[in-house]
Amino acid sequence: MDSNSLFYSLELVAGSGNTLNVEQRTALQTSLVILKKNYKFHRVLFWGKILGLKEDYFIAQGRGEDEMKDKKTLYSFNCMDWMLLAPATDSVIEEVSKTAKGRFVGDPSYVYEHVEIHRPGGRDDAIQEEEVVTKVNEESRLAVTVHRIDEEASVAPRGAYLKSPHGLVQINRSFGGLSHSEAGKLDNFLHFSKAKNLKKKSILEMGELNPAIDFMDVLSDDIPKGSWSLQLECASRVLVLRSLLWPGLTFFHLPTTPQHGHIYIGDGRKNLDLPFML
């Protein structure tokens, strides 16, 4: 959610229970402006909140010239003091997937441990046990969780972003919003992340796409099917999308206006049981 319209946007997704109290909203209104100035971001988004057992993590994202690549993530406990998160590399993602389980604690220095027993056979077929311990702190887990949610559940209406011939992704200033009929179709909403399924499309399907706006994956291609809930709320004035794969992710769009955004408020755990629930 863009920090410039945060108060208004939070009201539009309040039907999911995703909201903040008055103190938190007031603190964000001031601190996000300072954050934008200090880090020289083009704009700042309030990403959401990950619930912990001791403390909750408030997440903000700063965007640079390229909306998709120039992205930095920060976290805070009080909505005022922000700490920068390191990018989630492939090695860190692998370590977190093996090690971190259960709820977030709410302590960035908390260490998760995973022990594996390796039993390589020797020359005499003697079994030698080797203990391999993998350790990862919660700050790394936080970075990986935000990265995964961005990859799998961040949403943008079709046409809201443009990709230049040089590969630069920027906001489409001429985007006036989807019509009411378009907003009711999942095909008109895209994952705001690097495309993974475009190469799998046939030449005929690719011929119908506009490379300037159709450079991201469509939500209707997601597996399993039915992992998104699409509803019209507030007397059909607001389109609301909820992710069933990442419970707590809510996206909104006001048809015929450029206003859209999403927020995540949840425990940071993926619903792995979804295929069996559908």
PDB file of all heavy atoms in Angstrom, residues 36-53:
ATOM      1  N   LYS A  36      11.445   7.657   3.376  1.00  0.00           N
ATOM      2  CA  LYS A  36      11.567   7.966   1.951  1.00  0.00           C
ATOM      3  C   LYS A  36      12.676   8.981   1.702  1.00  0.00           C
ATOM      4  O   LYS A  36      13.473   8.851   0.760  1.00  0.00           O
ATOM      5  CB  LYS A  36      10.226   8.491   1.437  1.00  0.00           C
ATOM      6  CG  LYS A  36      10.225   8.860  -0.044  1.00  0.00           C
ATOM      7  CD  LYS A  36       8.871   9.395  -0.464  1.00  0.00           C
ATOM      8  CE  LYS A  36       8.880   9.835  -1.924  1.00  0.00           C
ATOM      9  NZ  LYS A  36       7.573  10.382  -2.330  1.00  0.00           N
ATOM     10  N   LYS A  37      12.752   9.976   2.564  1.00  0.00           N
ATOM     11  CA  LYS A  37      13.771  11.029   2.405  1.00  0.00           C
ATOM     12  C   LYS A  37      15.172  10.503   2.711  1.00  0.00           C
ATOM     13  O   LYS A  37      16.116  10.767   1.964  1.00  0.00           O
ATOM     14  CB  LYS A  37      13.432  12.196   3.332  1.00  0.00           C
ATOM     15  CG  LYS A  37      14.396  13.364   3.203  1.00  0.00           C
ATOM     16  CD  LYS A  37      14.022  14.499   4.145  1.00  0.00           C
ATOM     17  CE  LYS A  37      15.010  15.658   4.030  1.00  0.00           C
ATOM     18  NZ  LYS A  37      14.669  16.764   4.972  1.00  0.00           N
ATOM     19  N   ASN A  38      15.319   9.749   3.809  1.00  0.00           N
ATOM     20  CA  ASN A  38      16.647   9.268   4.229  1.00  0.00           C
ATOM     21  C   ASN A  38      17.260   8.299   3.229  1.00  0.00           C
ATOM     22  O   ASN A  38      18.467   8.300   2.998  1.00  0.00           O
ATOM     23  CB  ASN A  38      16.552   8.614   5.595  1.00  0.00           C
ATOM     24  CG  ASN A  38      16.315   9.615   6.709  1.00  0.00           C
ATOM     25  OD1 ASN A  38      16.460  10.831   6.503  1.00  0.00           O
ATOM     26  ND2 ASN A  38      15.942   9.142   7.887  1.00  0.00           N
ATOM     27  N   TYR A  39      16.432   7.400   2.657  1.00  0.00           N
ATOM     28  CA  TYR A  39      16.945   6.390   1.731  1.00  0.00           C
ATOM     29  C   TYR A  39      16.820   6.810   0.267  1.00  0.00           C
ATOM     30  O   TYR A  39      17.195   6.048  -0.633  1.00  0.00           O
ATOM     31  CB  TYR A  39      16.205   5.067   1.948  1.00  0.00           C
ATOM     32  CG  TYR A  39      16.665   4.300   3.167  1.00  0.00           C
ATOM     33  CD1 TYR A  39      16.090   4.533   4.411  1.00  0.00           C
ATOM     34  CD2 TYR A  39      17.668   3.338   3.077  1.00  0.00           C
ATOM     35  CE1 TYR A  39      16.500   3.824   5.537  1.00  0.00           C
ATOM     36  CE2 TYR A  39      18.087   2.628   4.181  1.00  0.00           C
ATOM     37  CZ  TYR A  39      17.502   2.871   5.416  1.00  0.00           C
ATOM     38  OH  TYR A  39      17.908   2.164   6.537  1.00  0.00           O
ATOM     39  N   LYS A  40      16.252   8.021   0.034  1.00  0.00           N
ATOM     40  CA  LYS A  40      16.089   8.547  -1.330  1.00  0.00           C
ATOM     41  C   LYS A  40      15.263   7.596  -2.214  1.00  0.00           C
ATOM     42  O   LYS A  40      15.588   7.366  -3.384  1.00  0.00           O
ATOM     43  CB  LYS A  40      17.449   8.830  -1.970  1.00  0.00           C
ATOM     44  CG  LYS A  40      18.228   9.937  -1.261  1.00  0.00           C
ATOM     45  CD  LYS A  40      19.555  10.195  -1.942  1.00  0.00           C
ATOM     46  CE  LYS A  40      20.261  11.399  -1.351  1.00  0.00           C
ATOM     47  NZ  LYS A  40      20.554  11.271   0.093  1.00  0.00           N
ATOM     48  N   PHE A  41      14.210   7.028  -1.637  1.00  0.00           N
ATOM     49  CA  PHE A  41      13.300   6.187  -2.406  1.00  0.00           C
ATOM     50  C   PHE A  41      12.402   7.053  -3.288  1.00  0.00           C
ATOM     51  O   PHE A  41      12.078   8.187  -2.925  1.00  0.00           O
ATOM     52  CB  PHE A  41      12.413   5.346  -1.474  1.00  0.00           C
ATOM     53  CG  PHE A  41      13.147   4.298  -0.686  1.00  0.00           C
ATOM     54  CD1 PHE A  41      12.909   4.136   0.675  1.00  0.00           C
ATOM     55  CD2 PHE A  41      14.067   3.459  -1.301  1.00  0.00           C
ATOM     56  CE1 PHE A  41      13.573   3.168   1.404  1.00  0.00           C
ATOM     57  CE2 PHE A  41      14.733   2.491  -0.583  1.00  0.00           C
ATOM     58  CZ  PHE A  41      14.489   2.339   0.778  1.00  0.00           C
ATOM     59  N   HIS A  42      11.958   6.494  -4.408  1.00  0.00           N
ATOM     60  CA  HIS A  42      10.967   7.191  -5.244  1.00  0.00           C
ATOM     61  C   HIS A  42       9.611   7.174  -4.546  1.00  0.00           C
ATOM     62  O   HIS A  42       8.852   8.137  -4.639  1.00  0.00           O
ATOM     63  CB  HIS A  42      10.863   6.516  -6.617  1.00  0.00           C
ATOM     64  CG  HIS A  42      12.006   6.861  -7.518  1.00  0.00           C
ATOM     65  ND1 HIS A  42      11.874   6.991  -8.881  1.00  0.00           N
ATOM     66  CD2 HIS A  42      13.325   7.114  -7.253  1.00  0.00           C
ATOM     67  CE1 HIS A  42      13.042   7.308  -9.416  1.00  0.00           C
ATOM     68  NE2 HIS A  42      13.941   7.376  -8.446  1.00  0.00           N
ATOM     69  N   ARG A  43       9.288   6.062  -3.902  1.00  0.00           N
ATOM     70  CA  ARG A  43       8.070   5.974  -3.099  1.00  0.00           C
ATOM     71  C   ARG A  43       8.232   4.867  -2.070  1.00  0.00           C
ATOM     72  O   ARG A  43       9.097   3.984  -2.208  1.00  0.00           O
ATOM     73  CB  ARG A  43       6.825   5.740  -3.967  1.00  0.00           C
ATOM     74  CG  ARG A  43       6.760   4.396  -4.678  1.00  0.00           C
ATOM     75  CD  ARG A  43       5.567   4.352  -5.602  1.00  0.00           C
ATOM     76  NE  ARG A  43       5.385   3.014  -6.168  1.00  0.00           N
ATOM     77  CZ  ARG A  43       4.279   2.284  -6.033  1.00  0.00           C
ATOM     78  NH1 ARG A  43       3.267   2.757  -5.320  1.00  0.00           N
ATOM     79  NH2 ARG A  43       4.179   1.093  -6.592  1.00  0.00           N
ATOM     80  N   VAL A  44       7.416   4.914  -1.032  1.00  0.00           N
ATOM     81  CA  VAL A  44       7.479   3.928   0.055  1.00  0.00           C
ATOM     82  C   VAL A  44       6.108   3.271   0.199  1.00  0.00           C
ATOM     83  O   VAL A  44       5.070   3.944   0.161  1.00  0.00           O
ATOM     84  CB  VAL A  44       7.888   4.591   1.393  1.00  0.00           C
ATOM     85  CG1 VAL A  44       7.789   3.599   2.539  1.00  0.00           C
ATOM     86  CG2 VAL A  44       9.305   5.131   1.299  1.00  0.00           C
ATOM     87  N   LEU A  45       6.111   1.957   0.351  1.00  0.00           N
ATOM     88  CA  LEU A  45       4.888   1.203   0.545  1.00  0.00           C
ATOM     89  C   LEU A  45       4.875   0.599   1.944  1.00  0.00           C
ATOM     90  O   LEU A  45       5.924   0.163   2.437  1.00  0.00           O
ATOM     91  CB  LEU A  45       4.776   0.066  -0.473  1.00  0.00           C
ATOM     92  CG  LEU A  45       4.929   0.410  -1.953  1.00  0.00           C
ATOM     93  CD1 LEU A  45       4.817  -0.858  -2.784  1.00  0.00           C
ATOM     94  CD2 LEU A  45       3.884   1.409  -2.393  1.00  0.00           C
ATOM     95  N   PHE A  46       3.720   0.592   2.581  1.00  0.00           N
ATOM     96  CA  PHE A  46       3.574  -0.183   3.809  1.00  0.00           C
ATOM     97  C   PHE A  46       3.176  -1.593   3.392  1.00  0.00           C
ATOM     98  O   PHE A  46       2.094  -1.819   2.858  1.00  0.00           O
ATOM     99  CB  PHE A  46       2.521   0.419   4.739  1.00  0.00           C
ATOM    100  CG  PHE A  46       2.318  -0.393   5.994  1.00  0.00           C
ATOM    101  CD1 PHE A  46       3.346  -0.523   6.916  1.00  0.00           C
ATOM    102  CD2 PHE A  46       1.120  -1.033   6.245  1.00  0.00           C
ATOM    103  CE1 PHE A  46       3.187  -1.296   8.061  1.00  0.00           C
ATOM    104  CE2 PHE A  46       0.941  -1.793   7.388  1.00  0.00           C
ATOM    105  CZ  PHE A  46       1.972  -1.924   8.293  1.00  0.00           C
ATOM    106  N   TRP A  47       4.060  -2.554   3.609  1.00  0.00           N
ATOM    107  CA  TRP A  47       3.875  -3.924   3.129  1.00  0.00           C
ATOM    108  C   TRP A  47       2.919  -4.712   4.017  1.00  0.00           C
ATOM    109  O   TRP A  47       2.115  -5.498   3.531  1.00  0.00           O
ATOM    110  CB  TRP A  47       5.250  -4.602   3.065  1.00  0.00           C
ATOM    111  CG  TRP A  47       5.271  -5.963   2.456  1.00  0.00           C
ATOM    112  CD1 TRP A  47       5.465  -6.281   1.138  1.00  0.00           C
ATOM    113  CD2 TRP A  47       5.113  -7.213   3.138  1.00  0.00           C
ATOM    114  NE1 TRP A  47       5.436  -7.639   0.960  1.00  0.00           N
ATOM    115  CE2 TRP A  47       5.221  -8.231   2.173  1.00  0.00           C
ATOM    116  CE3 TRP A  47       4.892  -7.571   4.462  1.00  0.00           C
ATOM    117  CZ2 TRP A  47       5.123  -9.587   2.497  1.00  0.00           C
ATOM    118  CZ3 TRP A  47       4.776  -8.912   4.793  1.00  0.00           C
ATOM    119  CH2 TRP A  47       4.890  -9.901   3.825  1.00  0.00           C
ATOM    120  N   GLY A  48       3.027  -4.523   5.353  1.00  0.00           N
ATOM    121  CA  GLY A  48       2.129  -5.244   6.257  1.00  0.00           C
ATOM    122  C   GLY A  48       2.767  -5.564   7.591  1.00  0.00           C
ATOM    123  O   GLY A  48       3.712  -4.897   8.028  1.00  0.00           O
ATOM    124  N   LYS A  49       2.264  -6.621   8.204  1.00  0.00           N
ATOM    125  CA  LYS A  49       2.701  -6.982   9.552  1.00  0.00           C
ATOM    126  C   LYS A  49       2.761  -8.502   9.677  1.00  0.00           C
ATOM    127  O   LYS A  49       1.820  -9.205   9.297  1.00  0.00           O
ATOM    128  CB  LYS A  49       1.726  -6.391  10.579  1.00  0.00           C
ATOM    129  CG  LYS A  49       2.064  -6.711  12.032  1.00  0.00           C
ATOM    130  CD  LYS A  49       1.219  -5.891  13.007  1.00  0.00           C
ATOM    131  CE  LYS A  49      -0.219  -6.324  13.034  1.00  0.00           C
ATOM    132  NZ  LYS A  49      -0.978  -5.720  14.166  1.00  0.00           N
ATOM    133  N   ILE A  50       3.865  -9.006  10.215  1.00  0.00           N
ATOM    134  CA  ILE A  50       4.002 -10.439  10.501  1.00  0.00           C
ATOM    135  C   ILE A  50       3.943 -10.621  12.009  1.00  0.00           C
ATOM    136  O   ILE A  50       4.719 -10.017  12.753  1.00  0.00           O
ATOM    137  CB  ILE A  50       5.312 -11.007   9.910  1.00  0.00           C
ATOM    138  CG1 ILE A  50       5.225 -10.995   8.380  1.00  0.00           C
ATOM    139  CG2 ILE A  50       5.566 -12.422  10.417  1.00  0.00           C
ATOM    140  CD1 ILE A  50       6.429 -11.558   7.670  1.00  0.00           C
ATOM    141  N   LEU A  51       3.002 -11.419  12.439  1.00  0.00           N
ATOM    142  CA  LEU A  51       2.725 -11.586  13.863  1.00  0.00           C
ATOM    143  C   LEU A  51       3.723 -12.535  14.508  1.00  0.00           C
ATOM    144  O   LEU A  51       3.985 -13.626  13.994  1.00  0.00           O
ATOM    145  CB  LEU A  51       1.298 -12.118  14.054  1.00  0.00           C
ATOM    146  CG  LEU A  51       0.194 -11.339  13.313  1.00  0.00           C
ATOM    147  CD1 LEU A  51      -1.141 -12.048  13.468  1.00  0.00           C
ATOM    148  CD2 LEU A  51       0.107  -9.915  13.825  1.00  0.00           C
ATOM    149  N   GLY A  52       4.276 -12.124  15.648  1.00  0.00           N
ATOM    150  CA  GLY A  52       5.206 -12.957  16.404  1.00  0.00           C
ATOM    151  C   GLY A  52       4.671 -13.249  17.793  1.00  0.00           C
ATOM    152  O   GLY A  52       3.708 -12.624  18.250  1.00  0.00           O
ATOM    153  N   LEU A  53       5.285 -14.198  18.481  1.00  0.00           N
ATOM    154  CA  LEU A  53       4.843 -14.574  19.825  1.00  0.00           C
ATOM    155  C   LEU A  53       5.158 -13.482  20.841  1.00  0.00           C
ATOM    156  O   LEU A  53       4.357 -13.207  21.744  1.00  0.00           O
ATOM    157  CB  LEU A  53       5.509 -15.892  20.238  1.00  0.00           C
ATOM    158  CG  LEU A  53       5.156 -17.124  19.381  1.00  0.00           C
ATOM    159  CD1 LEU A  53       6.005 -18.312  19.790  1.00  0.00           C
ATOM    160  CD2 LEU A  53       3.679 -17.454  19.504  1.00  0.00           C
TER     161      LEU A  53
END
